[in-house]
Each structure stands twice: as C-alpha cells, then as structure tokens.
Amino acid sequence: MSKGDDLRRMLDEARSIVAFTGAGISTESGIPDFRSPGGIWTRYKPIEFGDFLASAEMRRESWRRKFATHETLQKATPNAGHRALARLVELGKMPAVITQNIDGLHQASGVPDSKVIELHGNTTYAACIDCRRRYELDWVREAFAVDEQLPVCTACGGHIKTATISFGQSMPEAEMERAQEAALAADLFIVLGSSLVVYPAAGFPIMAKRNGAQLVIVNREPTDQDDMADLVINAEIGATMSRAVGVN
Ligand SMILES: [Zn+2]
C-alpha cells in the first residue's frame, strides 16, 4: 500500500474531515508565500497594526504594497488542491476548511463562505477598522491613485484596511471559536501546505489529534508536528489530493 492509498482509505472512512490550509496550497496557484525565504516579508519589515493606526505614512505604505501585489492575486485561480477540498465539502464529508490564507481561493473553488474559517482574514476586500463596514478594493484604488489619498470610512470616519489580520492585531475571536469547534468535531484532520509554525493557528491540529482525530499532514517540507501525525506525505498538494479524492 502506498501513502496515496492510505490517504484515500482514510478519506473514505472518515465522517467529519476538517482541512487546515496554509500558503503551500496557494503557491500551486502562483501566489508567492510571503513568509518564505526571499519572500516579500523578509525584504520589507511587516507593518504592525499599531504603526498602521499611528501613522498616515505607514497606511500609505501598506496600500502601496497591497496594490503592488494586487494583480498577481487577482489573476490567481484555484488549483486541484482547492478543488479536491471543494468536492469533499460538496459530498458532505468536510464541514469546515480552516485557512491561514487570505486569498479567498477556497471560496473561488466553490466552498460556501459559511464553511471557510479565515484565521488571518481576507485580502480580496477591505473593511473599516472601527465599524467593520466592507469596502471593495477598486474603490480604494481609485482614491489612492490620486495623490495617494487614504480611504476613510463613509459611515464612521474610521481607517480602512484590507480585511486581513495584521501583525500585532489580535486573532478574530469568532473564527478562533469556530475553528476550535470544528477541530474538536473532526475524526480526520488534514493539514495541507502549512509548516505549522505560526501559533495559535498551529495549535488546531494538536487539539484535534489529542481529541482522538486522525492527523494527516501533506506538505512539501517536514513540519514540527510530523511525529504526531498518522500519515505524512511530503509532496505536491494538488496532485496528492486530486488523486485521493478523484477530481482533477
Ligand atoms: Zn466605519
């Protein structure tokens, strides 16, 4: 039996599979892993949330960076890995996809919004920091194109930022709770493309495993939690998952 056969059997036998996805699933869609060596965040110091709030120049810099990478993100489409998860959701076997990604590709692959738990927010739209009102990026970009005008909430006057969780910003409480519930209800927890180094997010696989779920890790590189896993596959996610689920 190959590891691929093991994975197929585990997916077949499980009743409640929860996926936990990281940058590795999206690099296969051409989205660079900003945290990887040589990635943009190792060249530019990340803008901390406190600095964003305190400084108009920092807010301008964050929008400059956003629009510099905007087109790559807009062009990206879901890959076979995303589609395999969408199929499991469609089959009623996967009640939740917990993701560290901010690219919206799970939703683009057909997973309903209500089943995607975004731990680090979403960069495909913006929101007011104070009242959470949603704003589209095209609207921000139009204003910013004129003398780098900073967007301000039309409802409350608050600062507008991409709907992501920045460094120094607290984790979203509702999403953390939903992720915990999903992890504890899973009988199979599958990590896809996360190196499992960013906490508290990386605590969910441990939580699921300790609660009796089987743990599968599919990642190109070894992770710190491999020892705890029932199955580890160091390979491409799209190819591995599409074969196991039977989609392309
Ligand atoms: Zn507002």
Side-chain angles (χ1 to χ4, degrees), residues 125-136 153-156 159-161 163:
Y125 60 94
C128 170
I129 286 170
D130 295 325
C131 74
R132 303 311 302 164
R133 184 179 179 139
R134 177 178 168 140
Y135 290 91
E136 301 310 318
C153 179
T154 53
C156 79
H159 297 312
I160 293 172
K161 187 174 91 56

Side-chain angles (χ1 to χ4, degrees), residues 23 28 40 54 108 129 137 146 151 153 155 171 248:
E28 293 174 20
I40 197 162
I129 286 170
L137 292 176
V146 182
C153 179
M171 295 295 284
N248 50 38

Side-chain angles (χ1 to χ4, degrees), residues 52-135:
F52 181 94
L53 289 182
S55 153
E57 178 47 29
M58 283 298 181
R59 291 195 289 281
R60 275 192 288 273
E61 175 62 14
S62 84
W63 285 114
R64 268 177 226 133
R65 290 184 193 179
K66 172 60 197 164
F67 293 129
T69 54
H70 186 53
E71 274 179 26
T72 310
L73 206 76
Q74 266 192 324
K75 275 189 229 144
T77 54
N79 64 60
H82 296 104
R83 287 193 292 276
L85 299 187
R87 179 72 184 135
L88 290 169
V89 170
E90 191 185 32
L91 291 169
K93 296 195 67 143
M94 183 168 280
V97 177
I98 305 170
T99 188
Q100 296 175 288
N101 298 336
I102 56 178
D103 52 40
L105 287 181
H106 289 299
Q107 292 92 326
S109 74
V111 180
D113 230 338
S114 61
K115 302 207 168 181
V116 182
I117 304 172
E118 294 173 319
L119 298 178
H120 296 156
N122 190 309
T123 191
T124 66
Y125 60 94
C128 170
I129 286 170
D130 295 325
C131 74
R132 303 311 302 164
R133 184 179 179 139
R134 177 178 168 140
Y135 290 91

Side-chain angles (χ1 to χ4, degrees), residues 34 43-44 55 67 140 149 207 210 219:
F34 296 121
R43 279 181 281 139
Y44 302 105
S55 153
F67 293 129
V140 177
Q149 237 180 86
M207 195 184 285
R210 287 196 181 140
N219 196 48

Side-chain angles (χ1 to χ4, degrees), residues 152-199:
V152 173
C153 179
T154 53
C156 79
H159 297 312
I160 293 172
K161 187 174 91 56
T162 55
T164 51
I165 306 299
S166 298
F167 288 92
Q169 198 169 5
S170 55
M171 295 295 284
E173 252 172 64
E175 280 77 2
M176 290 298 285
E177 265 172 41
R178 284 174 62 208
Q180 178 169 339
E181 271 170 35
L184 293 176
D187 61 359
L188 176 60
F189 194 94
I190 179 163
V191 175
L192 300 157
S194 172
S195 45
L196 299 174
V197 289
V198 182
Y199 282 85

